Amino acid sequence: MAVNHQESTPLKPNPSRWRTKEFYFYYVCFCLVVPYMFKVTYDLSKPSHPNYPLYEPLLSDGWLFDRQVDSSDAQYSQFRDNIPKLLLLVFIHLVTNRANRRFHWIRSQLRFSLLTSIIILFIFYGASTFKYLFIVSLSFLIGHYCKGSRWNPILTWTFNLLVLFVNDYYDGYRYKHLFGHAFGWLDSWQGVHARWHILFNFATLRLISFNMDYYWACQEEPTGVYKMPQSDKERITTPLNLREYNYEYFLAYTFYTPLLLCGPIITFNDFISQSRYPSQHLSKMYTIIYFIRLVLVILLMEFILHYLYVVAISKAKAWEGASPLELSMVGYFNLVIIWMKLLIPWRFFRLWSLADGIWVEENMVRCMSNNFSAQRFWKSWHRSFNRWTIRYIYIPLGGSQYFAWSMWIVFTFVALWHDIELKLLAWGWLICLFLLPEIIASRLFSEKKFGDMPYYRFICGLGAVANILMMMIANLVGFAVGLDGVKEMLIKIFGTTYGLTFLISVSVCLFIAVQIMFEIRESEKRRGDPKWKM
């Protein structure tokens, strides 16, 4: 999501530890602790619990074993309720696109894609489509007229940041306020998704991508011939012919239906390149397996929402009398649900894009619970956004040479891009603050220098435990229980003897988990999987 800091890598992988006595002990701990975590959280979600009446109004009728379902997360509930409609739309979109490829109703597939995208845009946003089109056209004009001059990035970034603030301040605008009551009837034509400006943040990333790619293309020596890229990186960095940075291609990219609502994010260069030369990663078998994985994770989410009501508990602040362990489980499973509620829509829309022939990055590369490094965490969480920020913010600001200060700009933008709220700014700055100890420690005690020492893995484990605790606090503030919930949790942990005992126990459990994480990455390294760096 944010930054990519260059790390030293070991010269060779270590021998496997999976069948050592040390790891057999870890397996026993896992078999005892993980089920107990679920039990504690399930007990909090029972109707017999004293706090149940406080959050019961946030529950809805479920379909699994006569259980209520936690539908208090509006973002995921909206997606969940609209899955049948989305499936119908996916079917119609894929069938019409494939039919045009076969029968050539419109010779240019990009033009046909643009026409279908505009129709779907009116279905989604109604009359607000005109506002959407007006804003993106203004951004296009900035890039079109500024070309390779310095004014292009300056005006592009200024305009799009201003749009984020103005959209939020005016709540998407109203025609009757803009042009008078005579145009008020347009406000009633809202489409399926009336609050179009909420998801416009994703459009701003595409607008910036087009203008910046065009800016860099104008500064390159023109070759006149665009050759088939040999790698994904080449698709992103190799400029197109200048005539391809036109309004039609710009709209086809900006309005591309499978990625319109929430990504994953793809750059303009990559999108146009794939429309001409499809990615070699695409295959029917990969798409089918990916579909099965999506179905399984949706079913898992349903099970969790029917049995663990942690979102409702946190929204109702129904933690009166809860122990530090119970509060921590509410916080932890809130983070798990946040990860899953993002994973599922991103996989759904990525699957749609794959079926349509456009390869985009997997946004969630690792499970949330399989992260020990703050730097690596942001490479595997919302990965397409991570790569976007690297290309358009981090590298232009000087890359790793100025990492210590550029990360503050990156995370400030990331926080404001998510939503203009104080708690998200606090989240972004907490992330930066918590990154500093890891950056300093990894430079002073690099694996290249000390990796052969027998104690090195255990020292890293202690640092990783601190990292995990800090990352959990930052994300709980930004996306789950907020400042009040975290404050309550910290008071109960550090203000009582039981709380401090609990903290020590948690740290031991996390240390064991970290050693498993280390070995997972060693296994990836041994088989040559580049994922070990994440």
Side-chain angles (χ1 to χ4, degrees), residues 4 81 89 117 187 232 235 243 281 296 310 405 444 459 516 518:
N4 183 18
D81 294 341
L89 180 61
S117 295
D187 292 321
D232 292 337
R235 289 185 187 274
R243 65 177 180 274
H281 298 301
L296 291 175
V310 292
W405 74 271
L444 292 177
I459 297 295
I516 298 289
F518 286 169

Side-chain angles (χ1 to χ4, degrees), residues 248-502:
E248 181 183 339
Y249 284 11
F250 164 77
L251 290 180
Y253 164 66
T254 305
F255 295 161
Y256 181 59
T257 301
L259 307 180
L260 174 70
L261 295 180
C262 62
I265 301 151
I266 185 173
T267 68
F268 178 78
N269 284 351
D270 193 2
F271 178 79
I272 299 301
S273 173
Q274 288 197 50
S275 68
R276 185 181 301 173
Y277 304 109
S279 173
Q280 296 177 349
H281 298 301
L282 288 170
S283 70
K284 284 186 179 180
M285 183 55 66
Y286 179 90
T287 306
I288 291 170
I289 293 173
Y290 197 76
F291 168 75
I292 295 171
R293 291 172 63 196
L294 173 63
V295 171
L296 291 175
V297 77
I298 290 174
L299 292 175
L300 177 60
M301 181 66 151
E302 287 296 305
F303 183 83
I304 290 174
L305 293 178
H306 277 77
Y307 280 89
L308 307 178
Y309 301 146
V310 292
V311 180
I313 291 171
S314 64
K315 287 188 178 296
K317 298 184 178 179
W319 46 61
E320 182 68 31
S323 67
L325 171 61
E326 291 171 330
L327 265 176
S328 298
M329 290 302 98
V330 170
Y332 171 75
F333 280 104
N334 255 289
L335 293 179
V336 170
I337 289 174
I338 288 171
W339 176 75
M340 292 187 71
K341 81 169 186 177
L342 295 175
L343 172 76
I344 290 171
W346 280 334
R347 282 196 173 175
F348 180 91
F349 291 115
R350 181 173 186 252
L351 176 64
W352 186 355
S353 179
L354 295 176
D356 196 41
I358 298 294
W359 175 274
V360 286
E361 284 282 342
E362 173 71 85
N363 264 341
M364 297 298 202
V365 180
R366 285 198 187 279
C367 175
M368 181 217 75
S369 300
N370 186 14
N371 286 280
F372 60 84
S373 162
Q375 295 180 76
R376 294 185 180 191
F377 176 77
W378 295 117
K379 294 180 185 179
S380 58
W381 177 288
H382 204 169
R383 179 160 173 74
S384 66
F385 191 22
N386 170 267
R387 290 170 67 106
W388 187 95
T389 56
I390 289 170
R391 174 164 172 78
Y392 298 111
I393 306 179
Y394 180 62
I395 292 176
L397 288 176
S400 59
Q401 185 177 357
Y402 301 104
F403 176 75
W405 74 271
S406 63
M407 69 176 181
W408 294 90
I409 297 175
V410 169
F411 273 104
T412 298
F413 170 77
V414 169
L416 294 175
W417 177 83
H418 275 91
D419 208 347
I420 301 170
E421 289 186 47
L422 180 60
K423 71 174 186 177
L424 286 176
L425 273 176
W427 163 81
W429 293 336
L430 278 173
I431 293 294
C432 294
L433 192 64
F434 293 162
L435 274 170
L436 289 175
E438 181 183 341
I439 295 167
I440 295 169
S442 61
R443 289 188 174 179
L444 292 177
F445 305 102
S446 67
E447 189 173 0
K448 189 174 182 179
K449 291 181 181 177
F450 299 96
D452 292 333
M453 301 296 180
Y455 57 80
Y456 181 75
R457 176 166 59 95
F458 299 102
I459 297 295
C460 287
L462 294 175
V465 169
N467 256 348
I468 292 171
L469 292 173
M470 290 188 291
M471 285 193 293
M472 290 183 70
I473 289 171
N475 285 298
L476 285 170
V477 168
F479 297 103
V481 297
L483 286 166
D484 291 339
V486 170
K487 182 180 177 182
E488 179 95 11
M489 184 165 35
L490 293 178
I491 288 173
K492 289 198 173 186
I493 289 174
F494 289 100
T496 64
T497 305
Y498 174 77
L500 290 173
T501 305
F502 164 74

Side-chain angles (χ1 to χ4, degrees), residues 214-266:
Y214 186 35
Y215 167 72
W216 287 318
C218 290
Q219 295 184 330
E220 294 279 337
E221 290 290 332
T223 61
V225 178
Y226 183 81
K227 297 180 180 178
M228 179 178 175
Q230 300 301 310
S231 66
D232 292 337
K233 185 176 180 180
E234 280 190 20
R235 289 185 187 274
I236 295 169
T237 58
T238 303
L240 306 165
N241 295 322
L242 292 183
R243 65 177 180 274
E244 293 181 298
Y245 295 92
N246 57 58
Y247 190 56
E248 181 183 339
Y249 284 11
F250 164 77
L251 290 180
Y253 164 66
T254 305
F255 295 161
Y256 181 59
T257 301
L259 307 180
L260 174 70
L261 295 180
C262 62
I265 301 151
I266 185 173

Side-chain angles (χ1 to χ4, degrees), residues 496-513:
T496 64
T497 305
Y498 174 77
L500 290 173
T501 305
F502 164 74
L503 180 61
I504 294 171
S505 302
V506 167
S507 299
V508 171
C509 292
L510 286 176
F511 180 84
I512 291 172

